[in-house]
């Protein structure tokens, strides 16, 4: 078995965290880099990440689980919690910010190449905004690419993780002030180390057979 296959099979959704264990700072730095370098369509990067590492920060996030009480202890007992947010729009200011970063990082041989990149990315942004009218859904797809990067990366770093969609997005947007920043909460990930009481750690992983999910042509 390859190392990557091993890591994919080792990863599982942690249902209970040990509140006494904290993720070291160097591993959190790795997590932040993984999220920073996640892929996105046309390198649009339509995201922002809120990282809660303090008891106060986690308590703020947990307020959004009032109607999802089974998720509250996961957030409160985790070492760190990441709120993956989607931009509410890909406006010109954001597109130019991405473009200038690309230029700073040396991606363009000349001004013509830079303008071509901007035109190409703007074409797809406008297509999803005006013709397909699914811009928000398209942006959230990119955020879920970052989620996948985070989940597998956590396994590499021997960090346990639990992705959480059971929360009140309106409440979380409110307590974190996301709407005012042009953002909305899409998914929450609790990170830390499993508790001895985590029943899911003792269960075998289960997936449909490859013969079912693949078609070779």
């Amino acid at each position: 078995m390859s190392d990557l296959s091993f890591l994919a099979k080792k990863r599982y959704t942690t249902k209970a965290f040990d509140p006494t264990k904290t993720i070291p700072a160097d591993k959190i730095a790795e997590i932040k880099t993984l999220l920073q370098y996640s892929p996105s369509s046309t390198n649009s990067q339509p995201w922002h990440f809120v990282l809660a590492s303090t008891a106060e920060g986690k308590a703020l996030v947990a307020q959004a689980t009032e109607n999802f009480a089974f998720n509250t202890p996961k957030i409160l007992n985790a070492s760190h919690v990441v709120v993956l947010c989607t931009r509410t729009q890909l406006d010109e200011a954001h597109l130019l910010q991405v473009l200038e970063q690309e230029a700073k990082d040396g991606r363009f041989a000349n001004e013509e190449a830079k303008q071509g990149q901007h035109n190409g990315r703007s074409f797809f942004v406008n297509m999803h905004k005006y013709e397909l009218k699914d811009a928000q859904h398209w942006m959230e797809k990119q955020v879920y690419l970052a989620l996948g990067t985070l989940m597998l990366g956590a396994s590499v770093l021997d960090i346990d993780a639990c992705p959480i969609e059971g929360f009140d997005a309106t409440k979380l947007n409110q307590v974190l002030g996301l709407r005012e920043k042009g953002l909305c909460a899409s998914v929450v990930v609790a990170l830390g180390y499993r508790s001895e009481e985590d029943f899911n750690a003792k269960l075998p992983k289960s997936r449909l057979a490859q013969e079912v999910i693949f078609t070779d042509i």
Side-chain angles (χ1 to χ4, degrees):
M1 184 189 302
S2 70
D3 289 344
L4 185 58
S5 295
F6 170 77
L7 291 166
K9 291 182 177 181
K10 177 174 78 74
R11 190 216 67 76
Y12 79 104
T13 298
T14 302
K15 300 296 185 179
F17 290 92
D18 185 339
T20 68
K21 294 182 179 179
T22 303
I23 301 171
D26 60 330
K27 289 194 174 185
I28 291 299
E30 291 281 348
I31 288 291
K32 293 171 78 170
T33 300
L34 283 169
L35 287 169
Q36 178 189 7
Y37 283 89
S38 296
S40 60
S41 179
T42 69
N43 197 30
S44 54
Q45 305 169 63
W47 48 48
H48 187 83
F49 309 107
V50 178
L51 179 63
S53 59
T54 64
E56 294 78 11
K58 288 180 284 187
L60 272 180
V61 177
Q63 287 185 35
T65 61
E66 182 178 0
N67 295 323
F68 303 87
F70 50 88
N71 282 328
T72 304
K74 297 171 190 171
I75 291 171
L76 295 179
N77 292 333
S79 170
H80 292 66
V81 176
V82 183
V83 181
L84 289 83
C85 308
T86 306
R87 296 181 61 86
T88 54
Q89 59 177 326
L90 279 179
D91 55 18
E92 188 71 3
H94 176 74
L95 297 180
L96 290 176
Q97 183 180 32
V98 171
L99 188 71
E100 291 308 318
Q101 186 64 52
E102 290 171 331
K104 181 180 177 181
D105 292 334
R107 289 186 60 82
F108 308 123
N110 50 47
E111 193 64 28
E112 182 180 2
K114 180 180 177 182
Q115 188 61 47
Q117 172 70 5
H118 183 58
N119 292 345
R121 183 157 45 229
S122 297
F123 169 81
F124 283 102
V125 169
N126 288 330
M127 179 180 71
H128 285 283
K129 183 177 181 181
Y130 296 110
E131 281 77 44
L132 299 177
K133 298 180 178 64
D134 67 344
Q136 195 63 35
H137 182 57
W138 179 63
M139 285 189 287
E140 196 163 54
K141 286 180 179 179
Q142 316 316 313
V143 173
Y144 271 72
L145 289 177
L147 173 64
T149 300
L150 172 59
M151 297 302 292
L152 186 57
S155 181
V156 173
L157 295 167
D158 290 320
I159 294 172
D160 293 316
C162 179
I164 298 170
E165 288 185 319
F167 64 91
D168 183 337
T170 300
K171 180 70 173 180
L172 193 51
N173 290 341
Q174 177 187 354
V175 299
L176 296 182
L178 297 178
R179 184 177 294 184
E180 295 79 4
K181 299 173 183 176
L183 302 166
C184 55
S186 293
V187 62
V188 174
V189 179
L191 300 168
Y193 299 101
R194 72 191 68 168
S195 163
E196 291 297 324
E197 299 175 1
D198 181 15
F199 71 89
N200 208 29
K202 303 174 179 66
L203 298 176
K205 288 181 75 75
S206 176
R207 297 292 190 272
L208 292 172
Q210 293 188 8
E211 293 77 12
V212 175
I213 64 170
F214 286 95
T215 298
D216 295 322
I217 59 173

